Short mmCIF file of all heavy atoms in Angstrom, two decimals:
data_model
loop_
_atom_site.label_atom_id
_atom_site.label_comp_id
_atom_site.label_asym_id
_atom_site.label_seq_id
_atom_site.Cartn_x
_atom_site.Cartn_y
_atom_site.Cartn_z
N LEU A 186 122.71 128.48 79.66
CA LEU A 186 121.74 128.88 80.68
C LEU A 186 122.03 128.13 81.97
O LEU A 186 121.54 127.06 82.21
CB LEU A 186 120.33 128.56 80.20
CG LEU A 186 119.86 129.31 78.97
CD1 LEU A 186 118.49 128.79 78.56
CD2 LEU A 186 119.84 130.78 79.19
N TYR A 187 122.85 128.71 82.78
CA TYR A 187 123.23 128.09 84.04
C TYR A 187 123.48 129.19 85.04
O TYR A 187 124.21 130.14 84.77
CB TYR A 187 124.48 127.23 83.85
CG TYR A 187 125.01 126.68 85.14
CD1 TYR A 187 124.42 125.57 85.73
CD2 TYR A 187 126.07 127.28 85.79
CE1 TYR A 187 124.90 125.07 86.92
CE2 TYR A 187 126.55 126.78 86.98
CZ TYR A 187 125.96 125.67 87.54
OH TYR A 187 126.42 125.18 88.72
N HIS A 188 122.85 129.05 86.16
CA HIS A 188 123.06 130.02 87.23
C HIS A 188 123.73 129.27 88.35
O HIS A 188 123.20 128.29 88.86
CB HIS A 188 121.72 130.62 87.67
CG HIS A 188 121.88 131.86 88.48
ND1 HIS A 188 122.02 131.83 89.84
CD2 HIS A 188 121.98 133.15 88.12
CE1 HIS A 188 122.16 133.05 90.28
NE2 HIS A 188 122.14 133.88 89.26
N ALA A 189 124.92 129.68 88.74
CA ALA A 189 125.73 128.95 89.71
C ALA A 189 124.99 128.71 91.02
O ALA A 189 125.06 127.61 91.57
CB ALA A 189 127.03 129.68 89.96
N GLN A 190 124.29 129.68 91.52
CA GLN A 190 123.60 129.53 92.78
C GLN A 190 122.10 129.54 92.54
O GLN A 190 121.60 130.33 91.74
CB GLN A 190 123.99 130.67 93.73
CG GLN A 190 123.44 130.50 95.13
CD GLN A 190 123.91 131.61 96.05
OE1 GLN A 190 123.99 132.77 95.66
NE2 GLN A 190 124.21 131.24 97.28
N CYS A 191 121.38 128.67 93.24
CA CYS A 191 119.93 128.61 93.10
C CYS A 191 119.32 129.92 93.59
O CYS A 191 119.54 130.33 94.73
CB CYS A 191 119.35 127.44 93.89
SG CYS A 191 117.55 127.31 93.77
N ASP A 192 118.57 130.56 92.72
CA ASP A 192 117.98 131.85 93.09
C ASP A 192 116.80 131.69 94.04
O ASP A 192 116.36 132.65 94.63
CB ASP A 192 117.57 132.64 91.85
CG ASP A 192 116.41 132.02 91.11
OD1 ASP A 192 116.55 130.90 90.61
OD2 ASP A 192 115.36 132.68 91.03
N LYS A 193 116.30 130.47 94.20
CA LYS A 193 115.16 130.24 95.08
C LYS A 193 115.57 129.94 96.52
O LYS A 193 114.98 130.45 97.46
CB LYS A 193 114.30 129.08 94.56
CG LYS A 193 113.76 129.29 93.16
CD LYS A 193 112.69 130.35 93.16
CE LYS A 193 112.06 130.45 91.78
NZ LYS A 193 111.04 131.46 91.70
N CYS A 194 116.60 129.08 96.69
CA CYS A 194 116.95 128.66 98.06
C CYS A 194 118.40 128.95 98.44
O CYS A 194 118.78 128.75 99.59
CB CYS A 194 116.64 127.17 98.24
SG CYS A 194 117.79 126.07 97.38
N GLY A 195 119.22 129.36 97.47
CA GLY A 195 120.61 129.69 97.76
C GLY A 195 121.56 128.52 97.72
O GLY A 195 122.74 128.66 98.08
N ALA A 196 121.11 127.35 97.28
CA ALA A 196 122.00 126.19 97.16
C ALA A 196 123.16 126.53 96.22
O ALA A 196 123.05 127.43 95.38
CB ALA A 196 121.24 124.98 96.64
N ASP A 197 124.25 125.80 96.35
CA ASP A 197 125.45 126.10 95.57
C ASP A 197 125.25 126.02 94.07
O ASP A 197 125.86 126.78 93.32
CB ASP A 197 126.59 125.16 95.97
CG ASP A 197 127.11 125.44 97.37
OD1 ASP A 197 126.91 126.58 97.85
OD2 ASP A 197 127.70 124.54 97.97
N GLU A 198 124.41 125.09 93.60
CA GLU A 198 124.19 124.93 92.16
C GLU A 198 122.71 124.88 91.82
O GLU A 198 121.94 124.23 92.50
CB GLU A 198 124.85 123.66 91.64
CG GLU A 198 126.35 123.67 91.68
CD GLU A 198 126.94 122.43 91.04
OE1 GLU A 198 126.42 121.34 91.29
OE2 GLU A 198 127.91 122.58 90.29
N GLN A 199 122.33 125.55 90.75
CA GLN A 199 120.96 125.52 90.26
C GLN A 199 120.93 124.56 89.07
O GLN A 199 120.97 124.97 87.93
CB GLN A 199 120.51 126.92 89.83
CG GLN A 199 119.08 126.96 89.34
CD GLN A 199 118.63 128.37 89.08
OE1 GLN A 199 118.27 129.06 90.02
NE2 GLN A 199 118.65 128.81 87.84
N THR A 200 120.87 123.26 89.36
CA THR A 200 120.82 122.25 88.31
C THR A 200 119.38 121.79 88.14
O THR A 200 118.54 122.01 89.01
CB THR A 200 121.69 121.04 88.68
OG1 THR A 200 121.16 120.44 89.86
CG2 THR A 200 123.15 121.44 88.90
N ILE A 201 119.11 121.12 87.03
CA ILE A 201 117.78 120.57 86.80
C ILE A 201 117.42 119.60 87.93
O ILE A 201 116.33 119.64 88.47
CB ILE A 201 117.71 119.86 85.43
CG1 ILE A 201 118.00 120.84 84.31
CG2 ILE A 201 116.36 119.18 85.25
CD1 ILE A 201 117.01 121.95 84.15
N HIS A 202 118.37 118.73 88.29
CA HIS A 202 118.12 117.76 89.37
C HIS A 202 117.75 118.48 90.66
O HIS A 202 116.79 118.10 91.35
CB HIS A 202 119.35 116.89 89.58
CG HIS A 202 119.16 115.87 90.64
ND1 HIS A 202 119.56 116.07 91.94
CD2 HIS A 202 118.59 114.65 90.61
CE1 HIS A 202 119.24 115.01 92.66
NE2 HIS A 202 118.65 114.13 91.88
N HIS A 203 118.49 119.51 91.00
CA HIS A 203 118.21 120.27 92.22
C HIS A 203 116.81 120.88 92.16
O HIS A 203 116.04 120.79 93.12
CB HIS A 203 119.25 121.38 92.41
CG HIS A 203 118.89 122.34 93.49
ND1 HIS A 203 118.97 122.03 94.84
CD2 HIS A 203 118.39 123.61 93.43
CE1 HIS A 203 118.56 123.06 95.55
NE2 HIS A 203 118.20 124.04 94.72
N LEU A 204 116.48 121.51 91.03
CA LEU A 204 115.19 122.18 90.91
C LEU A 204 114.01 121.22 91.02
O LEU A 204 112.99 121.53 91.61
CB LEU A 204 115.13 122.93 89.58
CG LEU A 204 116.12 124.08 89.45
CD1 LEU A 204 116.19 124.55 88.01
CD2 LEU A 204 115.76 125.21 90.38
N ILE A 205 114.16 120.02 90.46
CA ILE A 205 113.06 119.05 90.46
C ILE A 205 112.95 118.29 91.77
O ILE A 205 111.85 118.07 92.28
CB ILE A 205 113.23 118.05 89.30
CG1 ILE A 205 113.09 118.78 87.96
CG2 ILE A 205 112.20 116.92 89.39
CD1 ILE A 205 113.43 117.91 86.76
N THR A 206 114.09 117.92 92.37
CA THR A 206 114.03 117.00 93.51
C THR A 206 114.47 117.56 94.85
O THR A 206 114.15 116.98 95.89
CB THR A 206 114.88 115.75 93.23
OG1 THR A 206 116.25 116.13 93.12
CG2 THR A 206 114.42 115.04 91.97
N GLU A 207 115.21 118.67 94.87
CA GLU A 207 115.80 119.13 96.13
C GLU A 207 115.33 120.48 96.63
O GLU A 207 115.19 120.68 97.83
CB GLU A 207 117.33 119.17 95.99
CG GLU A 207 117.95 117.81 95.67
CD GLU A 207 119.41 117.92 95.29
OE1 GLU A 207 119.92 119.05 95.11
OE2 GLU A 207 120.04 116.86 95.16
N CYS A 208 115.14 121.42 95.72
CA CYS A 208 114.82 122.79 96.13
C CYS A 208 113.44 122.85 96.79
O CYS A 208 112.44 122.44 96.19
CB CYS A 208 114.85 123.72 94.93
SG CYS A 208 114.52 125.45 95.38
N PRO A 209 113.36 123.35 98.01
CA PRO A 209 112.07 123.42 98.69
C PRO A 209 111.07 124.36 98.02
O PRO A 209 109.87 124.26 98.25
CB PRO A 209 112.42 123.90 100.09
CG PRO A 209 113.75 124.55 99.97
CD PRO A 209 114.45 123.89 98.83
N HIS A 210 111.54 125.23 97.15
CA HIS A 210 110.66 126.20 96.49
C HIS A 210 110.18 125.75 95.11
O HIS A 210 109.19 126.28 94.62
CB HIS A 210 111.36 127.56 96.38
CG HIS A 210 111.79 128.09 97.70
ND1 HIS A 210 110.92 128.63 98.61
CD2 HIS A 210 113.02 128.13 98.28
CE1 HIS A 210 111.58 128.99 99.70
NE2 HIS A 210 112.85 128.70 99.51
N THR A 211 110.90 124.81 94.49
CA THR A 211 110.52 124.37 93.15
C THR A 211 110.30 122.87 93.04
O THR A 211 109.90 122.38 91.99
CB THR A 211 111.60 124.75 92.11
OG1 THR A 211 112.83 124.10 92.45
CG2 THR A 211 111.79 126.26 92.05
N GLN A 212 110.56 122.14 94.09
CA GLN A 212 110.48 120.67 94.06
C GLN A 212 109.13 120.20 93.50
O GLN A 212 108.08 120.70 93.88
CB GLN A 212 110.68 120.14 95.47
CG GLN A 212 110.75 118.64 95.56
CD GLN A 212 111.05 118.20 96.99
OE1 GLN A 212 110.68 118.88 97.95
NE2 GLN A 212 111.73 117.09 97.12
N PHE A 213 109.20 119.23 92.58
CA PHE A 213 108.00 118.68 91.96
C PHE A 213 107.37 117.66 92.90
O PHE A 213 108.03 116.74 93.36
CB PHE A 213 108.35 118.03 90.61
CG PHE A 213 107.16 117.43 89.92
CD1 PHE A 213 106.09 118.23 89.54
CD2 PHE A 213 107.12 116.09 89.62
CE1 PHE A 213 104.99 117.68 88.89
CE2 PHE A 213 106.04 115.53 88.96
CZ PHE A 213 104.97 116.33 88.61
N ASP A 214 106.08 117.82 93.16
CA ASP A 214 105.36 116.92 94.06
C ASP A 214 104.70 115.81 93.23
O ASP A 214 103.48 115.76 93.09
CB ASP A 214 104.30 117.70 94.85
CG ASP A 214 103.64 116.85 95.92
OD1 ASP A 214 104.29 115.91 96.41
OD2 ASP A 214 102.48 117.15 96.25
N GLY A 215 105.52 114.99 92.66
CA GLY A 215 105.06 113.90 91.82
C GLY A 215 106.25 113.02 91.47
O GLY A 215 107.30 113.12 92.08
N TYR A 216 106.06 112.19 90.47
CA TYR A 216 107.13 111.29 90.03
C TYR A 216 107.85 111.88 88.83
O TYR A 216 107.25 112.58 88.02
CB TYR A 216 106.56 109.92 89.66
CG TYR A 216 105.90 109.22 90.81
CD1 TYR A 216 104.52 109.18 90.93
CD2 TYR A 216 106.67 108.59 91.79
CE1 TYR A 216 103.92 108.54 92.01
CE2 TYR A 216 106.08 107.95 92.86
CZ TYR A 216 104.70 107.93 92.97
OH TYR A 216 104.11 107.30 94.03
N LEU A 217 109.14 111.59 88.69
CA LEU A 217 109.92 112.07 87.57
C LEU A 217 109.31 111.63 86.25
O LEU A 217 109.29 112.38 85.28
CB LEU A 217 111.37 111.59 87.68
CG LEU A 217 112.36 112.15 86.68
CD1 LEU A 217 112.39 113.67 86.73
CD2 LEU A 217 113.75 111.59 86.92
N LYS A 218 108.74 110.42 86.22
CA LYS A 218 108.11 109.93 84.98
C LYS A 218 106.93 110.82 84.57
O LYS A 218 106.62 110.93 83.39
CB LYS A 218 107.66 108.48 85.13
CG LYS A 218 106.46 108.29 86.02
CD LYS A 218 105.99 106.85 86.04
CE LYS A 218 104.73 106.77 86.88
NZ LYS A 218 104.08 105.51 86.75
N ASP A 219 106.29 111.48 85.54
CA ASP A 219 105.19 112.39 85.22
C ASP A 219 105.67 113.57 84.38
O ASP A 219 104.95 114.07 83.52
CB ASP A 219 104.53 112.93 86.49
CG ASP A 219 103.85 111.85 87.30
OD1 ASP A 219 103.50 110.79 86.74
OD2 ASP A 219 103.65 112.07 88.51
N ILE A 220 106.92 114.00 84.61
CA ILE A 220 107.49 115.07 83.82
C ILE A 220 107.81 114.56 82.41
O ILE A 220 107.54 115.22 81.42
CB ILE A 220 108.75 115.66 84.50
CG1 ILE A 220 108.36 116.28 85.85
CG2 ILE A 220 109.43 116.68 83.60
CD1 ILE A 220 109.53 116.69 86.70
N HIS A 221 108.36 113.36 82.34
CA HIS A 221 108.73 112.78 81.05
C HIS A 221 107.51 112.53 80.16
O HIS A 221 107.59 112.73 78.95
CB HIS A 221 109.53 111.49 81.24
CG HIS A 221 110.91 111.74 81.74
ND1 HIS A 221 111.95 112.11 80.93
CD2 HIS A 221 111.43 111.66 82.99
CE1 HIS A 221 113.04 112.26 81.65
NE2 HIS A 221 112.75 112.01 82.89
N ILE A 222 106.41 112.10 80.75
CA ILE A 222 105.20 111.85 79.94
C ILE A 222 104.27 113.06 79.93
O ILE A 222 103.24 113.05 79.27
CB ILE A 222 104.44 110.59 80.41
CG1 ILE A 222 103.93 110.73 81.84
CG2 ILE A 222 105.30 109.35 80.25
CD1 ILE A 222 103.01 109.60 82.29
N LEU A 223 104.65 114.09 80.66
CA LEU A 223 103.95 115.37 80.75
C LEU A 223 102.48 115.21 81.15
O LEU A 223 101.56 115.49 80.39
CB LEU A 223 104.06 116.16 79.45
CG LEU A 223 103.69 117.63 79.57
CD1 LEU A 223 104.56 118.35 80.59
CD2 LEU A 223 103.79 118.31 78.22
N THR A 224 102.29 114.79 82.39
CA THR A 224 100.94 114.75 82.94
C THR A 224 100.45 116.19 83.13
O THR A 224 101.24 117.14 83.07
CB THR A 224 100.92 114.03 84.30
OG1 THR A 224 101.71 114.78 85.23
CG2 THR A 224 101.43 112.60 84.20
N SER A 225 99.18 116.36 83.36
CA SER A 225 98.64 117.71 83.55
C SER A 225 99.27 118.37 84.77
O SER A 225 99.52 119.58 84.77
CB SER A 225 97.12 117.68 83.66
OG SER A 225 96.71 116.86 84.73
N GLN A 226 99.54 117.59 85.82
CA GLN A 226 100.20 118.14 87.02
C GLN A 226 101.61 118.63 86.67
O GLN A 226 102.01 119.72 87.09
CB GLN A 226 100.28 117.07 88.11
CG GLN A 226 101.00 117.54 89.36
CD GLN A 226 101.31 116.42 90.34
OE1 GLN A 226 101.19 115.24 90.02
NE2 GLN A 226 101.70 116.80 91.54
N ALA A 227 102.34 117.86 85.90
CA ALA A 227 103.70 118.24 85.52
C ALA A 227 103.69 119.46 84.62
O ALA A 227 104.51 120.37 84.77
CB ALA A 227 104.40 117.08 84.83
N GLU A 228 102.76 119.51 83.68
CA GLU A 228 102.67 120.65 82.77
C GLU A 228 102.39 121.94 83.54
O GLU A 228 103.02 122.98 83.31
CB GLU A 228 101.60 120.42 81.72
CG GLU A 228 101.50 121.55 80.73
CD GLU A 228 100.47 121.30 79.64
OE1 GLU A 228 99.68 120.34 79.75
OE2 GLU A 228 100.45 122.08 78.69
N GLU A 229 101.47 121.88 84.48
CA GLU A 229 101.14 123.05 85.29
C GLU A 229 102.35 123.49 86.10
O GLU A 229 102.68 124.67 86.18
CB GLU A 229 99.97 122.73 86.21
CG GLU A 229 99.55 123.89 87.09
CD GLU A 229 98.38 123.55 88.00
OE1 GLU A 229 97.67 122.55 87.75
OE2 GLU A 229 98.18 124.29 88.97
N TRP A 230 103.05 122.54 86.72
CA TRP A 230 104.23 122.83 87.52
C TRP A 230 105.32 123.48 86.67
O TRP A 230 105.93 124.47 87.07
CB TRP A 230 104.74 121.55 88.18
CG TRP A 230 106.04 121.69 88.90
CD1 TRP A 230 106.24 122.25 90.12
CD2 TRP A 230 107.31 121.26 88.42
NE1 TRP A 230 107.57 122.20 90.44
CE2 TRP A 230 108.25 121.59 89.42
CE3 TRP A 230 107.75 120.62 87.28
CZ2 TRP A 230 109.59 121.30 89.28
CZ3 TRP A 230 109.10 120.34 87.14
CH2 TRP A 230 110.00 120.68 88.14
N LEU A 231 105.55 122.94 85.47
CA LEU A 231 106.58 123.49 84.58
C LEU A 231 106.26 124.91 84.16
O LEU A 231 107.14 125.77 84.09
CB LEU A 231 106.73 122.61 83.34
CG LEU A 231 107.46 121.29 83.56
CD1 LEU A 231 107.25 120.37 82.37
CD2 LEU A 231 108.94 121.53 83.79
N ARG A 232 105.00 125.18 83.88
CA ARG A 232 104.61 126.52 83.43
C ARG A 232 104.66 127.55 84.56
O ARG A 232 104.96 128.72 84.35
CB ARG A 232 103.22 126.50 82.84
CG ARG A 232 103.15 125.81 81.51
CD ARG A 232 101.72 125.75 81.02
NE ARG A 232 101.60 124.84 79.92
CZ ARG A 232 101.42 125.22 78.67
NH1 ARG A 232 101.33 126.49 78.38
NH2 ARG A 232 101.32 124.33 77.70
N GLU A 233 104.35 127.12 85.78
CA GLU A 233 104.26 128.05 86.91
C GLU A 233 105.59 128.29 87.62
O GLU A 233 105.72 129.26 88.35
CB GLU A 233 103.22 127.55 87.91
CG GLU A 233 101.81 127.62 87.36
CD GLU A 233 100.78 127.15 88.36
OE1 GLU A 233 101.15 126.73 89.48
OE2 GLU A 233 99.59 127.19 88.02
N THR A 234 106.55 127.41 87.42
CA THR A 234 107.84 127.54 88.09
C THR A 234 108.75 128.41 87.25
O THR A 234 109.07 128.07 86.12
CB THR A 234 108.47 126.15 88.31
OG1 THR A 234 107.57 125.34 89.06
CG2 THR A 234 109.78 126.27 89.07
N THR A 235 109.16 129.54 87.79
CA THR A 235 110.06 130.45 87.07
C THR A 235 111.40 130.52 87.76
O THR A 235 111.51 130.33 88.98
CB THR A 235 109.47 131.87 86.96
OG1 THR A 235 109.22 132.36 88.27
CG2 THR A 235 108.19 131.87 86.15
N LEU A 236 112.44 130.79 86.99
CA LEU A 236 113.80 130.85 87.49
C LEU A 236 114.46 132.13 87.04
O LEU A 236 114.20 132.62 85.95
CB LEU A 236 114.61 129.68 86.93
CG LEU A 236 114.03 128.30 87.12
CD1 LEU A 236 114.83 127.30 86.32
CD2 LEU A 236 114.03 127.92 88.58
N ARG A 237 115.36 132.62 87.86
CA ARG A 237 116.20 133.73 87.45
C ARG A 237 117.44 133.13 86.82
O ARG A 237 118.19 132.41 87.47
CB ARG A 237 116.59 134.61 88.63
CG ARG A 237 117.45 135.80 88.24
CD ARG A 237 117.71 136.72 89.43
NE ARG A 237 118.28 136.04 90.57
CZ ARG A 237 119.58 135.82 90.75
NH1 ARG A 237 120.45 136.22 89.86
NH2 ARG A 237 120.00 135.20 91.83
N ILE A 238 117.67 133.38 85.54
CA ILE A 238 118.84 132.82 84.88
C ILE A 238 119.96 133.84 84.71
O ILE A 238 121.10 133.49 84.49
CB ILE A 238 118.48 132.19 83.52
CG1 ILE A 238 117.80 133.20 82.61
CG2 ILE A 238 117.61 130.96 83.73
CD1 ILE A 238 117.61 132.72 81.20
N GLU A 239 119.62 135.09 84.78
CA GLU A 239 120.59 136.18 84.78
C GLU A 239 119.96 137.31 85.58
O GLU A 239 118.77 137.28 85.87
CB GLU A 239 120.91 136.65 83.37
CG GLU A 239 121.65 135.65 82.52
CD GLU A 239 121.94 136.19 81.14
OE1 GLU A 239 121.88 137.43 80.96
OE2 GLU A 239 122.21 135.38 80.25
N THR A 240 120.71 138.33 85.89
CA THR A 240 120.17 139.46 86.60
C THR A 240 118.98 140.03 85.84
O THR A 240 119.09 140.32 84.66
CB THR A 240 121.25 140.55 86.79
OG1 THR A 240 122.36 139.97 87.46
CG2 THR A 240 120.71 141.70 87.60
N ASP A 241 117.85 140.09 86.51
CA ASP A 241 116.61 140.62 85.92
C ASP A 241 116.13 139.87 84.68
O ASP A 241 115.46 140.44 83.83
CB ASP A 241 116.76 142.12 85.59
CG ASP A 241 117.02 142.93 86.85
OD1 ASP A 241 116.46 142.58 87.91
OD2 ASP A 241 117.77 143.90 86.77
N CYS A 242 116.48 138.61 84.54
CA CYS A 242 116.03 137.79 83.43
C CYS A 242 115.43 136.51 84.00
O CYS A 242 116.12 135.73 84.65
CB CYS A 242 117.19 137.47 82.49
SG CYS A 242 116.70 136.47 81.08
N TYR A 243 114.15 136.31 83.77
CA TYR A 243 113.45 135.15 84.31
C TYR A 243 112.94 134.28 83.17
O TYR A 243 112.62 134.77 82.09
CB TYR A 243 112.28 135.60 85.18
CG TYR A 243 112.74 136.27 86.45
CD1 TYR A 243 113.08 137.61 86.46
CD2 TYR A 243 112.86 135.55 87.63
CE1 TYR A 243 113.52 138.22 87.61
CE2 TYR A 243 113.30 136.16 88.79
CZ TYR A 243 113.63 137.50 88.77
OH TYR A 243 114.08 138.10 89.92
N MET A 244 112.85 132.97 83.43
CA MET A 244 112.41 132.02 82.43
C MET A 244 111.58 130.93 83.12
O MET A 244 111.91 130.52 84.23
CB MET A 244 113.64 131.39 81.77
CG MET A 244 113.36 130.30 80.77
SD MET A 244 114.87 129.58 80.09
CE MET A 244 115.39 130.89 79.01
N SER A 245 110.52 130.47 82.45
CA SER A 245 109.75 129.38 83.03
C SER A 245 110.58 128.11 82.98
O SER A 245 111.44 127.94 82.11
CB SER A 245 108.42 129.19 82.30
OG SER A 245 108.65 128.79 80.98
N LEU A 246 110.35 127.21 83.90
CA LEU A 246 111.15 125.99 84.01
C LEU A 246 111.05 125.14 82.76
O LEU A 246 112.02 124.51 82.35
CB LEU A 246 110.73 125.18 85.25
CG LEU A 246 111.59 123.97 85.59
CD1 LEU A 246 113.05 124.34 85.72
CD2 LEU A 246 111.10 123.32 86.86
N ASN A 247 109.89 125.11 82.10
CA ASN A 247 109.78 124.29 80.89
C ASN A 247 110.74 124.78 79.81
O ASN A 247 111.37 123.98 79.13
CB ASN A 247 108.34 124.21 80.37
CG ASN A 247 107.72 125.53 80.02
OD1 ASN A 247 108.05 126.56 80.59
ND2 ASN A 247 106.80 125.53 79.08
N PHE A 248 110.91 126.09 79.64
CA PHE A 248 111.85 126.60 78.66
C PHE A 248 113.30 126.39 79.11
O PHE A 248 114.18 126.15 78.30
CB PHE A 248 111.60 128.08 78.37
CG PHE A 248 110.35 128.31 77.58
CD1 PHE A 248 109.31 129.04 78.12
CD2 PHE A 248 110.21 127.79 76.31
CE1 PHE A 248 108.16 129.25 77.40
CE2 PHE A 248 109.05 128.00 75.58
CZ PHE A 248 108.02 128.73 76.13
N TYR A 249 113.54 126.46 80.40
CA TYR A 249 114.87 126.23 80.95
C TYR A 249 115.30 124.80 80.65
O TYR A 249 116.41 124.56 80.16
CB TYR A 249 114.88 126.50 82.44
CG TYR A 249 116.21 126.30 83.12
CD1 TYR A 249 117.18 127.29 83.08
CD2 TYR A 249 116.48 125.14 83.82
CE1 TYR A 249 118.40 127.13 83.71
CE2 TYR A 249 117.71 124.96 84.45
CZ TYR A 249 118.66 125.96 84.40
OH TYR A 249 119.86 125.78 85.02
N ILE A 250 114.42 123.83 80.92
CA ILE A 250 114.75 122.43 80.66
C ILE A 250 114.96 122.21 79.17
O ILE A 250 115.90 121.54 78.75
CB ILE A 250 113.66 121.50 81.23
CG1 ILE A 250 113.71 121.52 82.75
CG2 ILE A 250 113.84 120.08 80.70
CD1 ILE A 250 112.59 120.77 83.42
N TYR A 251 114.10 122.78 78.35
CA TYR A 251 114.25 122.64 76.90
C TYR A 251 115.61 123.19 76.45
O TYR A 251 116.32 122.58 75.66
CB TYR A 251 113.12 123.38 76.18
CG TYR A 251 113.24 123.33 74.68
CD1 TYR A 251 112.89 122.18 73.97
CD2 TYR A 251 113.72 124.43 73.98
CE1 TYR A 251 113.01 122.14 72.59
CE2 TYR A 251 113.84 124.40 72.61
CZ TYR A 251 113.49 123.25 71.92
OH TYR A 251 113.62 123.21 70.56
N ALA A 252 115.99 124.32 76.98
CA ALA A 252 117.26 124.93 76.61
C ALA A 252 118.45 124.10 77.07
O ALA A 252 119.49 124.05 76.42
CB ALA A 252 117.36 126.35 77.17
N MET A 253 118.31 123.44 78.19
CA MET A 253 119.39 122.60 78.71
C MET A 253 119.45 121.24 78.01
O MET A 253 120.42 120.52 78.14
CB MET A 253 119.22 122.39 80.22
CG MET A 253 119.33 123.65 81.04
SD MET A 253 120.93 124.45 80.93
CE MET A 253 121.91 123.31 81.89
N CYS A 254 118.38 120.88 77.30
CA CYS A 254 118.31 119.66 76.47
C CYS A 254 118.31 118.35 77.27
O CYS A 254 118.57 117.30 76.72
CB CYS A 254 119.42 119.62 75.45
SG CYS A 254 119.36 121.01 74.30
N LYS A 255 118.09 118.40 78.57
CA LYS A 255 118.00 117.18 79.35
C LYS A 255 117.42 117.50 80.73
O LYS A 255 117.46 118.63 81.17
CB LYS A 255 119.35 116.50 79.50
CG LYS A 255 120.41 117.34 80.18
CD LYS A 255 121.71 116.62 80.21
CE LYS A 255 122.79 117.48 80.84
NZ LYS A 255 124.07 116.81 80.90
N PHE A 256 116.91 116.48 81.39
CA PHE A 256 116.33 116.67 82.72
C PHE A 256 117.39 116.62 83.80
O PHE A 256 117.40 117.43 84.69
CB PHE A 256 115.27 115.61 83.02
CG PHE A 256 113.99 115.84 82.28
CD1 PHE A 256 113.57 114.97 81.31
CD2 PHE A 256 113.23 116.96 82.54
CE1 PHE A 256 112.39 115.18 80.63
CE2 PHE A 256 112.05 117.19 81.87
CZ PHE A 256 111.64 116.29 80.90
N ILE A 257 118.25 115.61 83.78
CA ILE A 257 119.21 115.43 84.87
C ILE A 257 120.58 115.12 84.30
O ILE A 257 120.70 114.45 83.34
CB ILE A 257 118.76 114.31 85.81
CG1 ILE A 257 117.42 114.69 86.43
CG2 ILE A 257 119.77 114.04 86.89
CD1 ILE A 257 116.81 113.62 87.27
#
């Protein structure tokens, strides 16, 4: 599950790091530790953030991260 170009902002790579810290459309407005301990803010953000992983195939960020097996 890797999309070479970010479908939200057009950056060269759609990596977990990019999605959490760099992308202006998906950037998490909190601390990385909030995602690791799954605060209510992080849980809401993960559920609401969707990504295009293939043509006409979308996935919520929480499932994308789970499938990638790591955050960064």
